[in-house]
Amino acid sequence: MPETILIPTDVFSELRERIAEIAPSLHCLPYTEDDTPVYVADAVALLRWIGGKRFTSLILRGKNIRWLHTASAGVDHVLTPTVRERCERGDLTLTDSGPAFAVAIGEFVLAWMLAVSHRL
């Protein structure tokens, strides 16, 4: 049976095709913020999208989840007691999308400085 990755429905259709190209042996399934899918028990990875808050309950129910990736820069807000405990035990790897924001954050800060200095 292929390994299952849970992906938020917001980005599921966009990411599913790209993941199938890169890793055809993976099985991608959607989840919503309102509903815990029955197939969470089969999942090995979980993508937390921006603003997603249900990852802790999914981690609790998905005992086989070994990887939690957050689409944010930084993981402080994702380190709930459940996630922290599983990471400390070595049962869960937590990654973020920090490098994806490297250029954008520099541009944002510069734009903000210009806006403030010119009282926009």
Side-chain angles (χ1 to χ4, degrees), residues 23-85:
S25 65
L26 294 178
H27 185 58
C28 299
L29 294 172
Y31 76 91
T32 67
E33 284 293 310
D34 305 324
D35 180 30
T36 300
V38 294
Y39 44 78
V40 70
D42 299 327
V44 296
L46 172 66
L47 171 62
R48 178 206 163 265
W49 197 239
I50 298 166
K53 300 188 185 323
R54 295 206 52 247
F55 59 91
T56 298
S57 65
L58 292 171
I59 293 290
L60 281 169
R61 290 187 167 176
K63 301 293 185 194
N64 294 322
I65 295 176
R66 300 185 310 261
W67 179 27
L68 169 61
H69 181 77
T70 179
S72 60
V75 296
D76 292 349
H77 60 288
V78 181
L79 285 174
T80 63
T82 300
V83 170
R84 184 183 300 272
E85 179 185 328

